[in-house]
Amino acid sequence: MKIALSQMQVIPGSPEKNLATIKDTIAQAKQNNVDLLILPELCISGYMLSDMWLVPSFVEEMHGYNEVMREASDGIAIAYGNIVLDKQINTRLNDSAHHPNKDGRVRMYNAVCVVQNQQWVKRAKHSQYLPDGIQPKTLLPNYRFFDDQRYFFSLNDVALDMGVSIEDLAQPLLLEHNGKQVKIGFQVCEDLWCKDYRKDGKALNMSRYLINNGAELLINISASPWTNQKHDARDRRIEFLAQDVDQFVPFYYVNNVGPQNNGKNIITFDGGTTVYNAQGMPVQCSQKSFAPDLMFVEHEQLPQQKAVRSEPGKIEQKYQAIQSGLRYIKDMLGFEDDPKFVIGVSGGIDSALVVCLIEQAFGQDNVWALNMPTKYNSSATQNVAKHIADKLGIKHLQIPIQELTDAQMDVFTKLDEALPSPEWMRKLSDENIQAKIRGTSILSNLAGRYGRFFTNNGNKLETALGYATLYGDVGGVIAPIGDLTKAEVFEMARFMNEHIYQDEVIPHSLLPNELFEFGEGDIAPSAELREAQLDPMKFGYHCALLEKFTSFAKTSCEDVMQWYLQGSMEENLGISTALIQRWGVDEPASFVEDLEWFARNIQRNVYKRIQSPPIIVTSPSAYGFDIRESQMPWRTSERFNQLKQQVLKMEKYNPG
């Protein structure tokens, strides 16, 4: 049996474009004498559509495409992902009972649909509980940015409603091949990530149920987002499945590519389509990441050797994810052509990296670099902005804003005479006037005037600490580096110089040494809103803290203080003793003061993050709808206060 696995790009909310891709793929499969074509999860509609899944007319339209797919299966079998509205459930059950979705609507499955020769395929064991040719997703993820339980009815829900076992519903489907029936077990995405879903003291393992019911091979159709080292994570999951059954069978995994979004996050999909043998070993895989691919497999002649595939380093993978997310903008907005951009380039490292990322995604003709100096901006940073623009071959614009700043300052100086305010508030407001002029008065208006977009250039550390001006640099259509720590910004800048450009496009003067120190003549990070201003973050150290604070299993201040007492900061944060000493947090009082400042600022700036533009996800936990936050005061627990007193009694941090 010849099988084709389509690692297709799925454009969410664009069924016509997706169907055109699918029909081309079907034609190509038929030309290659394919018996079974496998397409990804929700490949017609897209997966991350938020509450579009609650719009009846849209859902009806998506369901209607199942007939289009059935008709397209003449001479071939097709397994694809789509929603199924179970409208005939009362007819099949011969009852008048109420069998709704959990929200009271018509029951809706996120399912693998299987058609062959214009017919819905049958089950190995007939069941009146489900329509022919469909297998609903069993495990509905409800973590990170996944909301499946909000919209869909699972196979497990069906079992509960009908009073039958999930094992009995996990039946293979029967495909005709050379006059014989082949029993194939179908599952959807999360069904293979089953180790942490439990039933009767074991993993709720659809693979085990399907194999026990006679499946000769397994097929998983996915819309599984990229994360760093995702290939390794998938392989380990399949290894678990193989160990959890008495006799495993070949396993076919098909994933989509192309970003999707939930309004606040842009999530990328890398593919990773792979065939595993009966020992759970990967033996054939797509060599394309973040790109479409069509892979052909002779099922009876699977390779015996383990497949060789390279997995780039973390920063290169994050670079690929950001590029994929940026190129998605035209699809996200329904444009036929790539958008044009004007980027505020201050001469600092963040905007330097962003303008390079945008140039790589859209080409030099689609990018302008805009520098907006005041009296506080040094000639060094202004020269850096021009240097980068010249190296990239993009238009360089400079619009000084000192006169606009002075004009606004005059207004508020007069107002202060009648309405006095604390000096620290006036100084902060005076600084932020510059940022607001840049972001709102100049950058956004210039973008609107010339039909261009502008970006948010903030990194994850700035986003966390609120080191940005609302209605100033908190704006734009997208935040390309909003999920990169400052340490990763420096690392990606080096990567681009060395591997993308093979040239010093981003000046070395913007890049620190391994302890994040800047030498004489270098340009340390600064907002340049006042004289001799430097960013208040402890780079490297705060970056490591933030990664722990925002990891999937989130670290608390109490955890960090416990590490400090144990002398295990290096091990737990992945940093050196030298970096701890460089920032002075080996002094217990300084450590506590800094930790409180760090945690307090993260909590007090939730309101800014709520209003920030979409962030491209590059970490296991990104701000947006990945990390869901409520506005509330920062507080300390009793344990925090106890640990604080213990730390303050220390003379010095003692590593190890």
Side-chain angles (χ1 to χ4, degrees):
M1 181 166 60
K2 189 170 185 178
I3 299 175
L5 298 83
S6 176
Q7 181 173 288
M8 67 174 281
Q9 178 173 355
V10 176
I11 303 174
S14 299
E16 298 84 1
K17 291 182 178 179
N18 294 328
L19 272 172
T21 300
I22 289 169
K23 289 179 178 179
D24 287 344
T25 305
I26 293 172
Q28 189 174 349
K30 288 181 178 180
Q31 290 171 3
N32 285 274
N33 299 313
V34 166
D35 299 297
L36 171 62
L37 170 64
I38 312 171
L39 301 160
E41 177 184 10
L42 294 173
C43 58
I44 297 172
S45 59
Y47 179 31
M48 294 188 173
L49 302 181
S50 299
D51 280 0
M52 279 300 293
W53 290 123
L54 302 180
V55 179
S57 60
F58 177 80
V59 170
E60 285 282 355
E61 181 187 6
M62 296 307 107
H63 174 80
Y65 287 122
N66 291 320
E67 273 301 295
V68 176
M69 294 299 294
R70 184 189 62 77
E71 292 175 2
S73 68
D74 184 27
I76 193 171
I78 307 171
Y80 66 96
N82 195 23
I83 59 105
V84 173
L85 294 174
D86 199 350
K87 301 178 181 181
Q88 304 302 318
I89 188 168
N90 291 112
T91 301
R92 289 198 318 274
L93 296 174
N94 192 28
D95 73 7
S96 58
H98 192 39
H99 300 287
N101 222 38
K102 288 183 178 179
D103 56 9
R105 302 167 191 264
V106 175
R107 185 165 293 183
M108 180 166 65
Y109 308 121
N110 172 1
V112 54
C113 307
V114 188
V115 289
Q116 184 177 32
N117 295 324
Q118 299 184 320
Q119 299 291 324
W120 292 98
V121 302
K122 304 293 184 182
R123 279 183 170 70
K125 179 181 177 182
H126 174 71
S127 172
Q128 72 270 35
Y129 303 122
L130 293 166
D132 287 340
I134 76 115
Q135 188 75 7
K137 192 173 184 175
T138 303
L139 306 178
L140 302 185
N142 197 41
Y143 53 85
R144 294 198 71 186
F145 30 64
F146 300 109
D147 279 318
D148 287 41
Q149 293 185 34
R150 182 178 174 90
Y151 308 114
F152 305 120
F153 206 78
S154 73
L155 189 68
N156 207 33
D157 293 328
V158 175
L160 290 172
D161 181 32
M162 303 303 176
V164 297
S165 70
I166 184 71
E167 292 89 342
D168 195 49
L169 292 179
Q171 293 295 328
L173 300 180
L174 300 175
L175 259 66
E176 300 289 336
H177 179 64
N178 291 338
K180 297 181 179 179
Q181 291 183 328
V182 182
K183 294 181 179 180
I184 302 180
F186 290 95
Q187 54 182 243
V188 183
C189 199
E190 188 78 357
D191 294 347
L192 80 86
W193 303 84
C194 64
K195 188 176 181 179
D196 296 327
Y197 293 84
R198 312 301 293 174
K199 181 179 184 294
D200 300 328
K202 297 181 179 179
L204 204 166
N205 186 350
M206 276 294 290
S207 297
R208 184 173 69 244
Y209 305 155
L210 288 164
I211 291 171
N212 289 344
N213 286 332
E216 302 168 52
L217 67 150
L218 299 175
I219 291 172
N220 181 287
I221 64 167
S222 281
S224 186
W226 165 83
T227 55
N228 186 42
Q229 299 296 316
K230 188 64 177 275
H231 291 330
D232 180 64
R234 294 184 187 107
D235 291 351
R236 284 187 282 108
R237 294 292 181 164
I238 303 300
E239 183 180 355
F240 166 77
L241 298 183
Q243 294 171 349
D244 196 46
V245 300
D246 294 331
Q247 184 64 51
F248 200 53
V249 298
F251 191 103
Y252 290 72
Y253 172 83
V254 181
N255 193 27
N256 68 290
V257 295
Q260 303 191 34
N261 82 91
N262 59 14
K264 293 294 286 185
N265 292 118
I266 293 175
I267 299 114
T268 59
F269 297 78
D270 67 320
T273 296
T274 305
V275 179
Y276 299 83
N277 65 12
Q279 288 71 49
M281 181 174 68
V283 294
Q284 190 168 340
C285 59
S286 172
Q287 297 299 324
K288 296 182 179 180
S289 292
F290 299 100
D293 195 13
L294 184 60
M295 195 166 78
F296 299 100
V297 180
E298 294 289 349
H299 177 66
E300 290 78 15
Q301 302 173 24
L302 291 182
Q304 298 302 308
Q305 300 298 318
K306 186 175 182 178
V308 177
R309 58 185 169 199
S310 60
E311 188 150 22
K314 182 178 74 170
I315 286 298
E316 183 175 353
Q317 288 188 59
K318 292 193 175 195
Y319 169 78
Q320 292 174 342
I322 291 171
Q323 289 296 301
S324 178
L326 288 172
R327 291 170 182 148
Y328 165 61
I329 291 175
K330 71 179 181 65
D331 296 323
M332 182 172 68
L333 299 176
F335 291 1
E336 291 300 321
D337 300 316
D338 284 330
K340 299 178 185 296
F341 280 85
V342 54
I343 312 296
V345 181
S346 66
I349 185 63
D350 295 320
S351 60
L353 178 58
V354 168
V355 76
C356 289
L357 291 168
I358 296 292
E359 183 272 335
Q360 281 295 297
F362 302 113
Q364 60 185 199
D365 293 339
N366 287 332
V367 188
W368 293 349
L370 173 63
N371 183 246
M372 297 167 281
T374 68
K375 62 184 180 182
Y376 298 119
N377 293 97
S378 68
S379 59
T381 55
Q382 293 179 59
N383 290 338
V384 164
K386 188 174 189 310
H387 163 87
I388 294 172
D390 290 344
K391 281 285 190 179
L392 296 178
I394 63 178
K395 182 185 288 294
H396 173 260
L397 302 171
Q398 188 174 76
I399 302 177
I401 63 165
Q402 189 61 53
E403 289 187 10
L404 288 171
T405 302
D406 291 341
Q408 287 205 24
M409 292 283 286
D410 288 343
V411 171
F412 288 104
T413 298
K414 293 175 183 177
L415 195 60
D416 287 341
E417 295 174 1
L419 299 171
S421 65
E423 182 179 0
W424 72 268
M425 292 182 71
R426 291 201 305 273
K427 287 183 176 180
L428 183 60
S429 174
D430 290 347
E431 292 174 16
N432 288 340
I433 282 172
Q434 300 164 69
K436 291 174 182 177
I437 288 172
R438 289 188 177 112
T440 302
S441 298
I442 303 297
L443 196 54
S444 67
N445 283 323
L446 192 147
R449 191 178 189 91
Y450 296 100
R452 291 176 175 262
F453 291 137
F454 69 103
T455 56
N456 178 291
N457 297 342
N459 61 64
K460 189 172 188 175
L461 191 58
E462 292 173 338
T463 301
L465 295 172
Y467 195 63
T469 303
L470 204 57
Y471 319 121
D473 45 354
V474 179
V477 70
I478 194 169
I481 62 171
D483 202 24
L484 297 182
T485 65
K486 193 74 169 190
E488 289 176 324
V489 168
F490 292 131
E491 195 174 348
M492 189 169 290
R494 292 189 182 95
F495 168 81
M496 295 196 72
N497 276 350
E498 294 170 10
H499 299 284
I500 304 301
Y501 294 117
Q502 292 89 48
D503 192 8
E504 190 183 341
V505 174
I506 299 175
H508 292 160
S509 60
L510 298 180
L511 303 173
N513 66 15
E514 66 276 4
L515 292 179
F516 299 91
E517 296 168 323
F518 291 85
E520 186 177 352
D522 290 341
I523 303 172
S526 168
E528 291 193 308
L529 298 176
R530 64 174 184 268
E531 292 288 354
Q533 182 181 25
L534 290 176
D535 287 358
M537 292 80 103
K538 294 176 171 58
F539 302 127
Y541 172 65
H542 281 164
C543 296
L545 275 182
L546 182 61
E547 288 196 281
K548 286 294 185 179
F549 275 43
T550 60
S551 66
F552 189 60
K554 292 177 173 49
T555 292
S556 67
C557 289
E558 290 86 344
D559 296 325
V560 178
M561 285 193 287
Q562 192 69 55
W563 299 340
Y564 198 86
L565 290 165
Q566 295 168 347
S568 61
M569 293 280 283
E570 295 87 347
E571 177 186 352
N572 285 290
L573 292 178
I575 58 177
S576 67
T577 302
L579 187 64
I580 292 172
Q581 294 170 340
R582 179 258 191 276
W583 290 115
V585 288
D586 56 334
E587 295 289 341
S590 297
F591 163 76
V592 169
E593 181 183 9
D594 177 79
L595 184 62
E596 290 181 328
W597 173 85
F598 187 77
R600 184 184 300 109
N601 274 286
I602 289 176
Q603 183 57 43
R604 71 187 297 183
N605 284 289
V606 170
Y607 78 101
K608 288 186 181 179
R609 291 192 288 276
I610 291 171
Q611 300 179 67
S612 66
I615 291 172
I616 300 175
V617 175
T618 61
S619 78
S621 195
Y623 286 115
F625 285 160
D626 192 0
I627 300 174
R628 305 188 189 188
E629 302 179 282
S630 294
Q631 296 186 75
M632 60 183 74
W634 184 68
R635 59 175 292 276
T636 59
S637 67
E638 183 59 32
R639 180 167 176 258
F640 176 98
N641 296 327
Q642 292 171 355
L643 290 169
K644 175 180 174 179
Q645 293 308 312
Q646 293 179 45
V647 169
L648 291 175
K649 290 178 182 178
M650 298 172 66
E651 292 184 6
K652 199 85 169 178
Y653 172 69
N654 182 24

